[in-house]
Amino acid sequence: MSSDKNWSDDDGASSKLVRKAKESPFVPIGMAGFMGIVAYGLFKLKSRGDKKMSLHLIHMRVRAQGFVVGAMTIGVIYSMYKQYMSPENTNSDEK
């Protein structure tokens, strides 16, 4: 049955993650940065001084989201460069 083929897991989860990371390397970088910023923000939660907890959490969320958006933007620019402006593609277009 063809629908059973969709459910079979020939690739493991780790090999899928490695394959996706090779296709778009800035996604795992964004995920790791997000987790790092959140971990650092939670670590610094005790030493926030007299700043309200909600304000600390909002700033932490904005920094983490900014890192992810930056990584995605750099990834899009990199893929556009690779697709349209890389020397490999410009030489093949001239033939």
Side-chain angles (χ1 to χ4, degrees):
M1 197 182 250
S2 64
S3 64
D4 291 338
K5 191 174 185 178
N6 293 336
W7 292 101
S8 67
D9 191 19
D10 294 337
D11 294 337
S14 61
S15 64
K16 284 183 184 179
L17 182 63
V18 169
R19 183 173 39 100
K20 290 290 186 179
K22 286 180 182 177
E23 291 173 6
S24 54
F26 288 96
V27 172
I29 291 171
M31 290 169 43
F34 179 85
M35 295 303 282
I37 290 171
V38 168
Y40 180 74
L42 292 176
F43 177 73
K44 287 293 190 177
L45 193 61
K46 287 184 179 180
S47 64
R48 69 182 185 274
D50 59 348
K51 191 182 345 179
K52 290 184 178 180
M53 182 186 286
S54 62
L55 189 61
H56 177 77
L57 293 175
I58 288 170
H59 287 167
M60 180 179 60
R61 179 185 63 90
V62 168
R63 287 184 192 108
Q65 285 179 335
F67 187 89
V68 170
V69 169
M72 288 173 53
T73 303
I74 292 171
V76 167
I77 291 170
Y78 173 72
S79 67
M80 286 175 61
Y81 170 77
K82 200 165 89 172
Q83 186 174 4
Y84 296 114
M85 297 174 55
S86 68
E88 299 166 352
N89 290 339
T90 56
N91 291 338
S92 64
D93 290 343
E94 294 174 1
K95 291 181 181 178

